[in-house]
Amino acid sequence: THVKDMEIVAALMNRIAKEYPNVEFFCVGDIRLSTLFKGSPNAEFMLGTTFEAWPSKLRGMRADIGLAPVQDTLFSRCKSWIKPLEYGINEIPCVASDVEPYRELFRNNKDFPVRLAKTEDDWYNNLKELIEDKKLRDEEGKRLYNEVKENFDLQKHIDMWAKAYKSLL
């Protein structure tokens, strides 16, 4: 499904690349994704990696902004919101599709530090603002990092998970 998800931002990435020649895009995953960005000199495709190796690969990319495009389909609405958390633990601000599962992050926290985008203009305006304002990027990345550490750190919630597990036995 990631090919269809990335189609949401493919044209936008080419538009951004023309306006901001210093911006580079890294797309990681299925080899079929590589065809979406063939014409863009600012895009680099990398094959995906194992689940265990992904955190190191993401950290090593040293990305400034993370994108999480997802189609609004029943299948996608059943996915997790792990992508913004992966970006957050690396202090990378995130722009995500305004669909479930990402809307769920806002139900308990109206100020959750992820930008949601419905339209191509939403995507463009969010990216443009983050590209042009390094201080804002850094602040949003730090806010997202703090949110992940505060509310999604397994070490802080291990007792709750252990209790839930024991209750199932």
Side-chain angles (χ1 to χ4, degrees), residues 27-80:
C27 181
V28 182
D30 188 312
I31 189 73
R32 294 172 294 169
L33 294 171
S34 65
T35 61
L36 290 175
F37 312 105
K38 264 194 173 149
S40 177
N42 299 39
E44 181 179 332
F45 172 78
M46 294 181 246
L47 284 174
T49 187
T50 64
F51 177 77
E52 296 82 8
W54 173 240
S56 294
K57 186 167 191 162
L58 178 59
R59 191 171 30 261
M61 288 170 47
R62 311 186 112 216
D64 292 316
I65 303 168
L67 303 182
V70 174
Q71 286 185 301
D72 192 6
T73 65
L74 177 60
F75 180 74
S76 293
R77 288 189 294 272
C78 296
K79 291 181 178 180
S80 76

Side-chain angles (χ1 to χ4, degrees), residues 35-162:
T35 61
L36 290 175
F37 312 105
K38 264 194 173 149
S40 177
N42 299 39
E44 181 179 332
F45 172 78
M46 294 181 246
L47 284 174
T49 187
T50 64
F51 177 77
E52 296 82 8
W54 173 240
S56 294
K57 186 167 191 162
L58 178 59
R59 191 171 30 261
M61 288 170 47
R62 311 186 112 216
D64 292 316
I65 303 168
L67 303 182
V70 174
Q71 286 185 301
D72 192 6
T73 65
L74 177 60
F75 180 74
S76 293
R77 288 189 294 272
C78 296
K79 291 181 178 180
S80 76
W81 24 254
I82 190 78
K83 191 58 61 194
L85 302 183
E86 290 172 343
Y87 290 140
I89 202 65
N90 287 287
E91 296 186 34
I92 302 168
C94 178
V95 181
S97 291
D98 187 4
V99 299
E100 294 296 341
Y102 304 132
R103 279 188 205 134
E104 185 180 337
L105 292 167
F106 292 85
R107 285 205 184 88
N108 295 325
N109 182 350
K110 299 280 187 233
D111 296 320
F112 197 83
V114 169
R115 293 169 174 246
L116 296 182
K118 282 186 183 181
T119 67
E120 185 171 328
D121 283 341
D122 290 342
W123 282 97
Y124 174 78
N125 291 328
N126 279 306
L127 282 174
K128 180 179 169 127
E129 188 175 8
L130 289 169
I131 289 167
E132 291 180 355
D133 191 338
K134 181 181 180 351
K135 183 179 176 195
L136 179 65
R137 271 195 323 269
D138 292 345
E139 287 171 0
E140 288 191 19
K142 190 59 151 172
R143 279 186 56 225
L144 186 52
Y145 172 83
N146 290 336
E147 184 72 31
V148 171
K149 288 296 285 180
E150 180 64 31
N151 295 303
F152 299 95
D153 187 338
L154 183 59
Q155 294 300 323
K156 287 187 175 187
H157 303 284
I158 193 71
D159 293 336
M160 177 187 70
W161 284 104

